[in-house]
Structure formats: structure tokens, C-alpha cells
Amino acid sequence: MPKKKNKKKKDSTKKGKSSDLRKKTRAKKKSQTKRRKFSPHLLKGMKDILPAEQRYWEFVLKKSEELVKSYGFQKISTPILEEKALFDRSVGEDTEIVEKQMFTFKDKGGEEVCLRPETTASIARAYIEHGMINLPQPVKLYYYGPQFRYEKPQSGRLRQFHQFGLEVIGDDDPVIDAQVILISYNLLKELGIKPSLQINSLGCQKCRKKYLRALLNYFRPKKRFLCSDCQKRLLKNPLRILDCKNPNCQEVSDEAPQIVDYLCDECREHFIKVLEYLDKLEIPYNLNPKIVRGLDYYSRTIFEIWPEDEEVRSQNALAGGGRYDNLVSLLGGRPAPACGVAFGLERIINKMKKDNLFPPEKKRFDVFLAQIGIAARKECLKIFENLRREKIKVAEAFSKDGLRQQLEIANKLGVRITLILGQKELVEGTIILRDMENGTQEEINIKNVVAAVKRKLKSRVKKRKLL
Ligand code: AMP
């Protein structure tokens, strides 16, 4: 018997080995075919910004930065990677962003981190960590950068998108809210977009408690008419039912109690003052009780800016913001009331494209440097550096040999001057300067090339001005 047993064991190890081998070969084959089939692709919800689109980004950022600097804002940059707990605490564990949309992972040290889904919480963290409360208040900051939310990709909704934002920390005066809104309004107008301001107040924790109770009493008997998400929201975050996009939920919430009727005296007065400032500034607004914003840290004034002339506008919001008076203290800092706004740059740029709003196109190059032969090419490398150092916008095609090919490139670029260096000119210490607008050309001393180009460019500008 034992012998038989042994044999069985031997057989089974043999079988085991051969099946292992088979498994390994299969796995190897699979990985080989996988490697062969692999074709790199963009992750869902991500977007490459190609050179042709960059001028929109440069234009929007330049305009935005110029504008906010003129209102006394300073730039702050915070890391893309943050502690996950920062957003659990600030944005709120029951919010959609934290519950469903965060790119979270453990780093090699075992710490739970995430790609930031927004930047306000990071700035509040930085405000506390760097003792900004000791600076003259309010501290006015602006930022720009990518944000990450694992959302269902659709038009205007990406998983990596970019925000430009403002934060004013350390003051609760309603004039701050009005100013943040004014800047947001002006920023969009300067980009050629007609803004439509939607505004509401969330009150403070005291008045919101009363309101939430009223909201629950209203929605509970109508639970069966709500979508499955809103049925869950009823337990966790009933405010969000108000901005659900489902038509049934919208219909139910049309008759829901409105928070403005529940504001305490201080919050009502604060809100009225914000609106008075807006009236004075002649900024039209729509009191919209359905604007609730999806983040827990908001209090009192909240707003969104929609494109004035589009249909499903709450989904195309170009900017969103409001007050967050308790965020800094919630994160462990000394109380510092604050107000801010974030603009979605992809949406702004899409809107500009839709409305045929083109950023001004700047000429990329004024001069083309052509060369014939190795020795001339070497000399041209040096000439290129000399021109570039003098801030002359110069293009080249050093890897090309034929003059015709190079002149075609120069033509395509629309340069004003082409410099041509061949063997003959090199020996004679000269270079050809061709005026591309009238086709004339002259031979100049190679040592004077920078000065000659500058002179020529200047004279062209002067002539244009005279015309
Ligand atoms: P929020 O941080 O949610 O208040 O959003 C502020 C602005 O960022 C919105 O008004 C949008 O313009 C933009 N935004 C928010 N989420 C996305 C997204 N997933 N894709 C593109 N833009 C977004």
C-alpha cells in the first residue's frame, strides 16, 4: 500500500510539474501576444493639449493672471499629490468627489495619498502650515493647475482638467464675496464670453440644520419619485437632490423649500449686502435656490457662472465658488473665514472655440536662416545663437540640404527676411539678406548680420506704421 501511495505521489508531482510548465508557457505566450498587440492610448477622460491649441491656453492664462494681479492677488502653487485625509475632512466624506471620484492610492511608505480633486483644501492647508494668518489679512491668492476626478467622461467633463482659481482668506466681509464675483465676471467678459451669474446662500451651520430638516420633511414622502442616487442622497446629503440633473428629481425639487427662507438674521444680512454690492457694480444675477455646490466646506454665499447663451447650462458651468468660513478651522487652524472661485479652463476654451473667439495670433518667426553645405551649416549654428540672444525670432531647417526646400519652409512660415549662407559667401565673409516681401536681396558683411537684420526689421515696422 505505501508503495502504491508513493507512486501516486510521484505521478501527481510529475503531473503537477508538467501542468506548471504548461501554465508558464501559456502565460509567456499571452504576455508575448499582449506585448505585440499593445498600442499606447490616452486614458479615458484625459486629454492631450496639442501645440495648435496651446495659444488658447497661453492667452487665457495670461489674461487671467494680468487681471487678478491688478486686484492684488499673488500666485501660489501646491503639490498635485496630497494626503487623502485632507479632502475627506474638507470636501466631505459623503460628497460625490470623495466617495466616488478620487484617484487614491497608498504610496511606498504606506501613506494614503491622492491626486488633488480641487485646490481650495490644499491652499487652506498651506495657509495653516505657513502661518499665513500672521500676514496682513485677507491673504489674496491665485492658482492654476490640473485637478483629477474619476468622473464619467462626457462633453465638458474630464478626469483630468485644469482650474484657475482665487482664494481670499482671513475676512468675512460681504464686500469680499462681491469682489470675487466681480473679478470672475470681468475675467470671462475679457475673454469675450457672456457670463450669467447664479447665486444662492447656504447660510451657516446653524441655519442649514433647520433647512435640512425642512428639506427632509419635504422629500421623504416623495422618495419614490426620486432617482436611485437621490434616494441615497436623502440619507446622506439631501441638499444635492436640488441640483440633480434627472428631470423627475428636478420636477420634485421645484416645489422644495428654499434656503433663503431659513437664513438666520446674520446670514440674511450678509447675503443682502453681497447682493447690494452686486447691484452697485451693475452685475446682473439670478437668485437660484437650486445652486448648492457639491462640497461640504461651503457656507453663506455660493455661486456659479454659466454661459449666458447655452441650453443645459448647469452642466456647462464655467466657474463655481463661494464662502468657506469654517474650512481653515476644520483643518486645525485658527478661524479664518474665506471666499474663492475656480474656473474650468477646458470649458472656457471650448466655449471660446464654439463662439469663434480666437486669441490673437502672434508671428512666430521674423527671420529664416538658410545654409548650403556643411561649413556654412556650422557657421549658421553660431549665427542662429547670435540672433536668438538678441531676441530676434529666427527659424531654421539645419537638417535640410537643398536651398529650394529651405526657401519653401521660409515661405510657409511667412518670415520677413531670409538669410542665405553658401560656400561662396562663406569664403567672402558675406551673407545674403533677402527681403521676402519685395523679393530684393543684398549681400552684407557676415560680421554685421545681427545689426543689419535689426535695422531691416525696424524699417519694415516703421513703413507699416506709416501706411
Ligand atoms: P468645482 O471645483 O466642482 O466647483 O468646479 C469648478 C469648475 O471647474 C466648474 O464650474 C467647471 O468649469 C470645472 N470642472 C469641474 N469638474 C470638471 C470636470 N470633471 N471636467 C472639466 N471641468 C470641470
Side-chain angles (χ1 to χ4, degrees):
M1 280 298 274
K3 257 187 191 172
K4 249 187 186 171
K5 233 185 189 176
N6 269 347
K7 202 175 172 230
K8 247 189 186 171
K9 207 177 176 186
K10 250 187 201 171
D11 278 356
S12 70
T13 45
K14 231 186 197 174
K15 257 188 206 162
K17 268 187 191 168
S18 64
S19 84
D20 274 357
L21 202 69
R22 246 178 282 135
K23 262 187 210 158
K24 269 188 195 162
T25 345
R26 230 180 290 138
K28 203 172 161 189
K29 261 192 192 162
K30 213 174 168 185
S31 89
Q32 273 173 349
T33 46
K34 220 177 181 183
R35 224 177 296 146
R36 237 179 285 133
K37 273 186 193 160
F38 175 73
S39 57
H41 65 278
L42 251 180
L43 288 174
K44 234 181 177 180
M46 308 272 168
K47 192 173 161 276
D48 293 318
I49 305 169
L50 299 178
E53 205 187 320
Q54 292 291 348
R55 68 187 172 115
Y56 283 91
W57 288 82
E58 280 167 20
F59 177 72
V60 170
L61 275 174
K62 190 166 168 269
K63 278 261 175 206
S64 311
E65 289 202 78
E66 273 171 12
L67 181 81
V68 303
K69 278 181 185 169
S70 73
Y71 285 96
F73 283 75
Q74 289 183 302
K75 187 169 184 176
I76 182 167
S77 306
T78 56
I80 286 169
L81 203 62
E82 291 272 9
E83 223 181 345
K84 178 179 176 285
L86 172 67
F87 300 101
D88 291 347
R89 292 205 109 200
S90 56
V91 174
E93 277 179 296
D94 290 334
T95 58
E96 233 147 278
I97 292 183
V98 169
E99 220 176 37
K100 298 185 195 157
Q101 299 175 348
M102 294 241 280
F103 282 85
T104 313
F105 59 96
K106 273 198 178 141
D107 69 10
K108 288 194 172 138
E111 185 163 11
E112 263 208 285
V113 293
C114 71
L115 300 178
R116 64 174 177 215
E118 57 106 55
T119 303
T120 303
S122 306
I123 292 179
R125 173 197 53 68
Y127 177 90
I128 299 167
E129 274 195 298
H130 300 283
M132 288 191 221
I133 198 146
N134 299 315
L135 300 173
Q137 304 291 301
V139 178
K140 293 176 168 184
L141 302 168
Y142 78 89
Y143 64 88
Y144 156 73
Q147 320 293 332
F148 302 83
R149 294 183 196 170
Y150 198 84
E151 299 204 62
K152 201 167 155 203
Q154 49 184 289
S155 149
R157 215 162 264 292
L158 291 156
R159 288 184 178 169
Q160 177 179 331
F161 58 97
H162 295 76
Q163 284 183 338
F164 179 88
L166 305 178
E167 312 292 354
V168 184
I169 312 181
D171 206 318
D172 67 355
D173 198 290
V175 75
I176 303 283
D177 310 35
Q179 221 184 3
V180 168
I181 292 171
L182 167 74
I183 300 169
S184 309
Y185 200 77
N186 283 346
L187 195 152
L188 290 170
K189 273 178 78 176
E190 281 206 13
L191 295 173
I193 298 172
K194 286 189 195 125
S196 157
L197 172 63
Q198 309 292 315
I199 195 167
N200 193 13
S201 171
L202 274 183
C204 59
Q205 278 155 347
K206 213 170 54 184
C207 34
R208 205 171 327 150
K209 228 182 228 166
K210 263 200 279 170
Y211 177 60
L212 286 179
R213 222 174 297 134
L215 214 51
L216 278 177
N217 288 340
Y218 173 81
F219 280 124
R220 248 193 226 124
K222 301 173 180 63
K223 188 174 169 183
R224 64 183 190 285
F225 301 116
L226 300 174
C227 72
S228 58
D229 277 343
C230 280
Q231 292 190 2
K232 281 180 219 148
R233 286 178 187 134
L234 198 53
L235 299 172
K236 289 185 170 179
N237 200 352
L239 267 178
R240 292 302 321 251
I241 302 175
L242 296 174
D243 74 347
C244 177
K245 308 293 175 291
N246 182 305
N248 291 338
C249 303
Q250 280 186 5
E251 206 182 317
V252 176
S253 61
D254 276 347
E255 302 295 320
Q258 300 189 359
I259 188 149
V260 281
D261 298 325
Y262 292 79
L263 295 179
C264 63
D265 289 347
E266 290 97 327
C267 287
R268 188 177 308 111
E269 204 170 304
H270 191 279
F271 193 40
I272 288 171
K273 278 192 181 146
V274 175
L275 300 179
E276 281 172 359
Y277 284 123
L278 294 178
D279 288 336
K280 181 78 191 158
L281 290 165
E282 293 179 26
I283 296 180
Y285 50 81
N286 179 27
L287 286 174
N288 187 336
K290 289 195 174 180
I291 295 285
V292 291
R293 317 285 296 124
L295 296 80
D296 275 3
Y297 56 62
Y298 282 116
S299 52
R300 291 193 165 171
T301 316
I302 45 169
F303 65 93
E304 283 185 7
I305 302 187
W306 299 350
E308 196 198 57
D309 49 357
E310 276 183 25
E311 271 312 302
V312 233
R313 296 184 300 189
S314 58
Q315 274 143 304
N316 326 341
L318 302 171
R323 260 206 172 271
Y324 50 96
D325 288 346
N326 304 310
L327 178 58
V328 172
S329 55
L330 192 79
L331 294 175
R334 281 195 347 243
C339 185
V341 61
F343 298 84
L345 295 191
E346 279 82 358
R347 290 198 194 167
I348 288 178
I349 288 170
N350 279 346
K351 178 70 185 141
M352 287 173 68
K353 286 183 182 168
K354 229 182 199 172
D355 292 356
N356 293 323
L357 299 165
F358 300 107
E361 195 166 12
K362 274 198 215 133
K363 210 167 194 181
R364 283 169 63 211
F365 301 108
D366 287 326
V367 180
F368 188 86
L369 185 53
Q371 33 74 45
I372 314 153
I374 289 282
R377 179 178 299 170
K378 282 182 187 159
E379 188 59 31
C380 278
L381 279 169
K382 262 175 60 191
I383 297 174
F384 184 93
E385 287 307 302
N386 293 340
L387 292 166
R388 189 189 58 78
R389 261 185 233 123
E390 291 295 318
K391 308 249 179 307
I392 295 168
K393 291 190 250 171
V394 53
E396 46 74 28
F398 288 149
S399 61
K400 308 271 182 275
D401 292 322
L403 182 62
R404 225 180 75 194
Q405 213 181 350
Q406 293 183 65
L407 292 181
E408 272 170 17
I409 298 174
N411 263 330
K412 264 190 204 150
L413 290 172
V415 292
R416 284 194 245 152
I417 297 170
T418 297
L419 294 166
I420 306 166
L421 187 65
Q423 292 296 341
K424 177 180 157 284
E425 291 78 28
L426 192 63
V427 171
E428 290 171 358
T430 59
I431 190 163
I432 296 170
L433 189 154
R434 179 186 288 197
D435 185 322
M436 299 295 277
E437 284 174 7
N438 58 22
T440 58
Q441 57 182 52
E442 54 185 309
E443 234 170 77
I444 55 165
N445 190 324
I446 203 163
K447 285 188 190 136
N448 302 333
V449 63
V450 173
V453 166
K454 275 189 177 173
R455 213 176 311 122
K456 190 93 185 164
L457 289 176
K458 229 186 225 168
S459 77
R460 300 294 319 157
V461 172
K462 260 191 203 152
K463 259 191 202 168
R464 257 205 201 114
K465 274 186 187 157
L466 284 176
L467 290 171

